[in-house]
Amino acid sequence: MQVKSTDPVLDANLAIALDALLAEESVTKAAARMHTSPAAMSRTLGRLRRILRDPLLVRAGQVMVPTPRALALREEAAGVVRRITALLTPETPVDPATLSSTFTVQGADLIGAALAPALLRLARQEAPGVSLRMRAEELEAGPALRDGRIDLEIGSIDHVDPETQVEELVTLRMAAAVRPDHPLTRKPLTPARLAAAEHVVVSRRGRFSGPLDAALAEHGLQRRVSAVLPSHLAALTLAAASDVVCLIPAVPDGETPSPVTAPASVLGLHVLDIPLPLPPLTIGMAWHPRHAADGAHQWLRGAVRQIFRTTPS
């Protein structure tokens, strides 16, 4: 039913006052409960009487007694106030142990390989009801975050949707990963020796060139790319089984190891410093603001933050 502008409206404050009056059966006690004056509560009772067209509380000697309408409204008014209180009470911190959620995270396969083992291990310890769905970088992250197809994007965040919230996790340098007995491990690595080696490039779009080629060109050098693969893990596996060089993100010298380098370590690859100035790679996470205050999502972001800022085991 549509309410006309001239119809009386029972707002939340009046509902709370009605509950206090019916529970206390006293203007003075209801005023104390509401932290207001008896005179103000008396005016409120008058307004309630006009809206509900019933006296609600009437004098019976030294006390006030409820009318039949008031008695009929007492439990309903108390229930309304409980619902209003629950609605307007800030959410209590989420207990991870009670979570039953599946989180969808989008990132490169190298991110998934670095994140999944540690995140699942942490979930077993803190939130056993949590499951993880990893998606490759197949969706345009801004719209996917907006419409809920993914909960979190992790990687090099390059979209600029105004509502997307982004937090940087770690800044890495690019290094060269090679098998243990690769010829490049026998002597100091120079730009010329690096250019002379065979390379595998990781590109979802099939591109043969990148920042390393621009840096080599500054020295009049050009490398030979023998393969382009869409997957970091496939490229690292190829590097472990052949003489190709694969670029991999690594931490700057002297800093805490990053889980992103763990797959290279598992494959037994050596990580060599590249003697050229290459742009750093910043890994971040992005989410839609509707999840900013959600307790379950806060646990997820905290877990990712912890993993990327903790030395891998």
Side-chain angles (χ1 to χ4, degrees):
M1 181 180 70
Q2 185 175 3
V3 179
K4 298 179 181 179
S5 59
T6 55
D7 291 341
V9 177
L10 187 63
D11 61 24
N13 289 329
L14 280 177
I16 295 171
L18 175 63
D19 175 54
L21 286 163
L22 298 185
E24 300 292 346
E25 296 183 2
S26 164
V27 170
T28 301
K29 291 180 180 179
R33 178 169 166 174
M34 295 287 293
H35 304 289
T36 188
S37 67
M41 184 57 70
S42 181
R43 289 193 295 271
T44 300
L45 176 58
R47 186 179 176 193
L48 286 166
R49 285 168 168 167
R50 290 191 297 274
I51 292 174
L52 297 175
R53 299 176 184 177
D54 188 271
L56 299 175
L57 295 175
V58 296
R59 180 68 60 184
Q62 298 299 314
V63 298
M64 301 190 79
V65 294
T67 66
R69 177 77 189 282
L71 291 174
L73 289 174
R74 179 179 285 165
E75 287 302 318
E76 185 175 352
V80 168
V81 171
R82 285 194 297 269
R83 290 192 293 273
I84 291 173
T85 301
L87 179 66
L88 299 180
T89 298
E91 184 180 17
T92 57
V94 167
D95 179 3
T98 66
L99 291 179
S100 180
S101 304
T102 297
F103 294 115
T104 301
V105 180
Q106 177 164 294
D109 62 335
L110 191 62
I111 296 295
L115 179 68
L119 184 56
L120 292 178
R121 183 167 56 249
L122 191 60
R124 281 195 296 270
Q125 296 170 357
E126 299 182 5
V130 163
S131 300
L132 178 66
R133 179 191 293 117
M134 290 296 305
R135 297 195 66 152
E137 297 173 299
E138 57 190 2
L139 299 174
E140 187 178 350
L145 289 169
R146 187 182 305 121
D147 61 26
R149 283 176 290 166
I150 61 176
D151 296 300
L152 200 64
E153 179 195 9
I154 303 177
S156 178
I157 311 298
D158 55 5
H159 52 85
V160 291
D161 304 286
E163 75 270 26
T164 301
Q165 297 186 348
V166 179
E167 177 182 335
E168 293 184 0
L169 295 168
V170 63
T171 297
L172 304 171
R173 62 183 174 88
M174 298 307 296
V178 296
R179 62 182 179 85
D181 54 350
H182 193 283
L184 289 182
T185 64
R186 299 168 191 163
K187 297 179 182 179
L189 187 59
T190 64
R193 295 187 69 229
L194 181 62
E198 286 188 85
H199 290 255
V200 58
V201 168
V202 179
S203 173
R204 290 184 295 116
R205 296 178 176 87
R207 295 173 179 170
F208 275 75
S209 61
L212 178 57
D213 299 279
L216 288 171
E218 293 289 328
H219 291 74
L221 300 170
Q222 183 177 357
R223 64 173 173 163
R224 178 174 180 267
V225 176
S226 57
V228 178
L229 299 177
S231 161
H232 289 85
L233 296 182
L236 289 172
T237 301
L238 179 61
S242 67
D243 279 342
V244 299
V245 178
C246 177
L247 296 190
I248 184 174
V251 297
D253 292 335
E255 294 194 8
T256 303
S258 168
V260 178
T261 60
S265 300
V266 170
L267 290 168
L269 295 173
H270 277 272
V271 178
L272 304 174
D273 289 335
I274 295 176
L276 292 166
L278 297 179
L281 174 67
T282 297
I283 302 295
M285 59 179 172
W287 64 94
H288 193 272
R290 72 170 176 274
H291 293 308
D294 178 67
H297 205 279
Q298 287 177 341
W299 178 87
L300 173 65
R301 299 197 304 271
V304 170
R305 192 180 297 118
Q306 178 179 336
I307 290 166
F308 274 91
R309 295 176 184 175
T310 302
T311 303
S313 57

